[in-house]
Amino acid sequence: MSADLDALARSILKDNDLGGYTIPTKGLYPYQWNWDSIFVALGFATFDQDRALEEIESLFEGQWDDGMVPHILFRKDDPSYFPGPDAWGTSDRAMPSSGHSQPPVAATVVREIFESAGEGKLEARVRALFPKMMAWHRWFATYRDPQGHGSVAIIHPWESGRDNLPDWDAPMSAVDTTGIPAFTRKDTAHVDPEMRPRQIDYERYMAIVAAGRACGWNARKVTQASPFLVADPGITFILLRANRDLAALARRLGFDADLPEIEGWIAKLERGLERLWNPELGAHTTLDLKTGKLGQGVSSVAFLAPYAGVRDEAVLAPLRAHFDRIAGRVDYMVPSYDPDHQGFEHLRYWRGPVWAVVNFMIARGLTQAGDHTRAERVRADTARLVKHSGFAEYFSPVDGTGAGGKSFSWTAAVWLAWASPNPSQRAA
Ligand code: GLC
């Protein structure tokens, strides 16, 4: 059966490939998404390394002059999605796109593909990608740490990649929606509205887009003007990890002159994590930079601490306790939000469902920190979900129901790269 699933996963990637770039799924997400594409590259790498790198190269075609790599590239207009290029006010750009970024997983994945490709292969192409990844990481260091703490702030929930996490509710309630132009959502025509963000969330999402647009998406101005500015442990962990992988690439490829800058970013992010530690909870949480308030729930990204290289028992021991408590509450690990928290909803997007790509990163970190038992629990649960419900966008941690879009590229990709029991395709 898993061989059939491997074949199906490959056919999903090929089917969602629009020619050098891959969409997350037809209908709901008809454009190129940032971290989706990078995870997709991992899936392609299991059977076509050239195509894998092409996916990443195509994403960087949309990089802005300031270094930012947008969260969506609108390569050709598709009316099945809202908000498209007109709503972002970027239609006149050579490559219309959204105006903010997404979690930077590229350096980690590029390193992995490069190292598994074997001596010398892909080197020229990875060398060409290196300065682009440097510029993107520099953009985060320059524009997404406005208070200089070392943690990464997002200006829109979409920038975190976890659109409607309960921890965004409090900061989002301060976003004024007065005067935003009327709009028609398209997502709820593709997917059951109960599995999607609410209407009020969308109104606030669009109010933040309007604020960014009014600044012409000038990164410095946007950070000052956005009605939403929250430090995110997810993106902070992911960037910290990506910086370590970028440093490894720099050493391997001879970009030694860039090492001090990268090492400076690493040291700063390590310090920044301390501010995101919620001592009452025993986990890293969000921090609203406008009010100074920490988030109140254990979200799945708290378990990315080992992935980011954290080896401090004062962090890892409470995390293990949370993991075991939550594992006793749900059938499938790892829910995107704590099932013991009132904000938990098992089928609503990032308020509870399991996401295969987050599981992949969590398990990767656990393995590297030596916790093979919990890592294997996460992998086995991800495999059970796919066997139970196919390559869905996300899954209920309670009963394994597949939810959101179907034939989803990144779910297929991490199946191939990691969750499939076929050992030749295991990356972790
Ligand atoms: C949703 C997810 C985001 C993902 C995108 C495309 O917006 O929250 O993480 O990148 O869909 O799959």
Side-chain angles (χ1 to χ4, degrees), residues 37-372:
S37 259
I38 305 294
F39 286 117
V40 157
L42 265 187
F44 274 127
T46 63
F47 61 96
D48 186 346
Q49 287 172 336
D50 280 333
R51 178 63 188 78
L53 222 52
E54 187 185 19
E55 185 74 30
I56 298 172
E57 290 160 347
S58 73
L59 179 70
F60 277 91
E61 282 168 19
Q63 185 166 35
W64 286 18
D65 290 344
D66 65 3
M68 196 268 281
V69 183
H71 102 290
I72 312 175
L73 302 185
F74 300 113
R75 287 172 177 276
K76 48 183 177 226
D77 228 4
D78 192 316
S80 71
Y81 180 79
F82 176 85
D86 291 343
W88 289 93
T90 59
S91 308
D92 54 347
R93 291 182 178 243
M95 175 80 82
S97 71
S98 62
H100 59 67
S101 203
Q102 245 188 345
V105 282
T108 301
V109 170
V110 168
R111 177 185 178 191
E112 171 145 350
I113 293 173
F114 180 49
E115 288 182 353
S116 60
E119 239 6 80
K121 270 173 91 191
L122 306 178
E123 182 164 332
R125 291 166 71 189
V126 172
R127 199 175 276 286
L129 278 170
F130 184 87
K132 299 179 187 180
M133 296 191 287
M134 264 311 275
W136 189 18
H137 290 202
R138 189 178 295 120
W139 176 86
F140 274 110
T142 311
Y143 300 112
R144 285 298 190 261
D145 181 17
Q147 298 177 0
H149 299 149
S151 54
V152 183
I154 52 168
I155 60 105
H156 195 300
W158 289 339
E159 194 158 55
S160 72
R162 303 179 335 278
D163 308 7
N164 64 340
L165 187 77
D167 287 341
W168 311 139
D169 291 357
M172 282 293 267
S173 66
V175 174
D176 182 4
T177 58
T178 320
I180 58 157
F183 61 88
T184 307
R185 288 173 67 173
K186 304 279 176 72
D187 58 316
T188 43
H190 300 289
V191 170
D192 179 351
E194 292 299 311
M195 299 178 180
R196 295 287 307 173
R198 299 161 305 162
Q199 182 61 19
I200 181 69
D201 296 323
Y202 255 79
E203 284 165 18
R204 291 169 179 157
Y205 295 153
M206 293 317 296
I208 305 173
V209 169
R213 212 182 141 154
C215 303
W217 295 109
N218 171 294
R220 200 172 297 285
K221 288 189 193 153
V222 172
T223 315
Q224 283 158 6
S226 175
F228 177 96
L229 192 66
V230 183
D232 173 27
I235 214 162
T236 304
F237 283 138
I238 286 169
L239 181 61
L240 176 52
R241 169 63 192 255
N243 275 325
R244 297 190 202 280
D245 292 316
L246 196 62
L249 282 171
R251 283 189 205 99
R252 175 90 183 256
L253 296 170
F255 287 102
D256 294 13
D258 290 312
L259 276 170
E261 188 177 9
I262 303 172
E263 277 155 9
W265 295 334
I266 292 172
K268 199 162 181 199
L269 286 164
E270 284 176 337
R271 281 199 303 279
L273 278 178
E274 287 166 25
R275 289 187 55 91
L276 304 187
W277 180 253
N278 182 328
E280 277 149 41
L281 207 61
H284 291 94
T285 61
T286 56
L287 172 65
D288 185 340
L289 295 186
K290 294 197 185 274
T291 63
K293 288 201 178 125
L294 286 164
Q296 295 305 309
V298 180
S299 74
S300 52
V301 301
F303 298 106
L304 291 179
Y307 172 86
V310 175
R311 294 292 181 268
D312 180 357
E313 270 302 301
V315 171
L316 300 185
L319 271 189
R320 285 194 293 271
H322 282 306
F323 187 103
D324 295 344
R325 172 181 58 79
I326 293 172
R329 296 272 287 111
V330 296
D331 251 3
Y332 300 90
M333 288 295 272
V334 176
S336 43
Y337 207 65
D338 193 334
D340 285 326
H341 193 282
Q342 59 185 15
F344 175 80
E345 292 178 70
H346 80 119
L347 274 177
R348 201 186 282 278
Y349 222 37
W350 291 95
R351 303 180 78 86
V354 179
W355 293 71
V357 291
V358 178
N359 275 7
F360 164 73
M361 292 185 287
I362 292 173
R364 168 60 56 94
L366 288 170
T367 301
Q368 287 166 344
D371 190 346
H372 299 283

Side-chain angles (χ1 to χ4, degrees), residues 24 29 33 35-36 102 161-163 349-350 355 393 408 410:
Y29 295 125
W33 258 259
W35 68 334
D36 294 67
Q102 245 188 345
R162 303 179 335 278
D163 308 7
Y349 222 37
W350 291 95
W355 293 71
E393 185 180 5
F408 221 84
W410 69 5

Side-chain angles (χ1 to χ4, degrees), residues 386-404:
V386 169
K387 285 178 186 160
H388 186 266
S389 300
F391 294 100
E393 185 180 5
Y394 47 96
F395 305 87
S396 161
V398 175
D399 60 16
T401 304

